[in-house]
């Protein structure tokens, strides 16, 4: 008599509920995975773009107020590695320039007594906070004495490590 009535048994209802629960959990898991993957991809792109931007400013120079020419490392006549994270060079006009990593910020100084300008502030704000973002800058001397290797690496965003690095060898045009 029960078989002739239309409806579901309690077992069928439990199986259907479990299937629906697994399906809903799968949709939410996929959505969470996709959101995290998108954030990581965006973070890598952002770090690589920041590294390219600062590398471009170091190699070709930053447009300074009152200066007609950009004098980056490529315009150097001589260069000296002061440390692994500081590079001093002299341009064709005889003006001294310095690029350094200072507390996570990449800074540039025009002239021996000039003021430091931040080429890349790792946080995007004046106060450097190493818990949010870390930048790494390394200069190395290659076999050619009239060049320098520059490597910029971005690492930490909100206590999670990401890598977006750019490296190049810059030859001095005026050596």
């Amino acid at each position: 008599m029960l078989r002739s009535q239309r409806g579901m048994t309690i077992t069928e209802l439990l199986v259907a509920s479990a299937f629906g629960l697994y399906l809903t959990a799968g949709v939410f898991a996929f959505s969470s995975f996709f959101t995290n993957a998108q954030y990581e991809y965006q973070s890598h792109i952002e770090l690589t773009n920041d590294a390219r931007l600062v590398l471009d400013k170091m190699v070709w120079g930053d447009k300074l107020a009152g200066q007609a020419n950009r004098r980056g490392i490529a315009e150097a006549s001589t260069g000296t590695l002061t440390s692994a994270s500081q590079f001093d060079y002299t341009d064709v006009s005889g003006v001294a320039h310095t690029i350094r990593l200072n507390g996570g910020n990449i800074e540039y100084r025009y002239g021996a007594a000039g003021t430091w300008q931040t080429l890349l502030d790792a946080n995007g704000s004046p106060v450097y906070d190493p818990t949010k973002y870390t930048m790494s800058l390394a200069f190395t001397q290659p076999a050619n004495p009239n060049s320098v290797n520059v490597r910029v690496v971005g690492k930490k965003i909100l206590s999670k490590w990401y890598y977006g690095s750019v490296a190049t060898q810059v030859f001095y045009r005026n050596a």
Side-chain angles (χ1 to χ4, degrees):
M1 193 153 175
L2 287 175
R3 292 210 180 254
S4 65
Q5 295 178 354
R6 302 246 186 239
M8 297 177 69
T9 64
I10 192 75
T11 308
E12 292 171 335
L13 188 60
L14 286 174
V15 169
S17 296
F19 180 72
L21 184 65
Y22 287 131
L23 183 63
T24 303
V27 167
F28 282 119
F30 177 76
S31 173
S32 175
F33 170 77
F34 184 75
T35 302
N36 287 340
Q38 183 180 11
Y39 177 76
E40 288 198 24
Y41 177 74
Q42 182 179 357
S43 297
H44 289 292
I45 296 297
E46 180 183 332
L47 286 169
T48 302
N49 285 341
D50 286 349
R52 280 191 195 132
L53 175 70
V54 75
L55 187 66
D56 183 56
K57 287 180 180 180
M58 286 188 288
V59 171
W60 301 111
D62 199 15
K63 181 69 175 147
L64 301 174
Q67 298 297 322
N69 298 315
R70 294 170 45 172
R71 299 285 187 200
I73 297 172
E75 296 296 325
S77 55
T78 62
T80 305
L81 286 174
T82 308
S83 70
S85 61
Q86 182 170 329
F87 182 66
D88 299 327
Y89 65 97
T90 306
D91 67 19
V92 69
S93 303
V95 178
H97 303 260
T98 303
I99 298 173
R100 72 177 181 185
L101 181 67
N102 183 27
N105 295 333
I106 298 175
E107 298 176 333
Y108 167 77
R109 181 175 66 191
Y110 177 82
T115 59
W116 290 100
Q117 294 182 329
T118 302
L119 292 180
L120 181 65
D121 173 7
N123 288 327
S125 60
V127 180
Y128 176 67
D129 182 1
T131 62
K132 291 185 178 176
Y133 203 129
T134 300
M135 288 301 291
S136 172
L137 173 66
F139 295 103
T140 55
Q141 185 67 52
N144 185 335
N146 294 325
S147 65
V148 66
N149 290 331
V150 184
R151 184 169 180 244
V152 181
V153 180
K155 291 183 181 176
K156 187 189 276 189
I157 299 177
L158 298 174
S159 72
K160 190 167 182 179
W161 292 95
Y162 298 96
Y163 292 94
S165 67
V166 176
T168 191
Q169 182 175 1
V170 185
F171 292 89
Y172 314 147
R173 283 187 187 175
N174 300 306

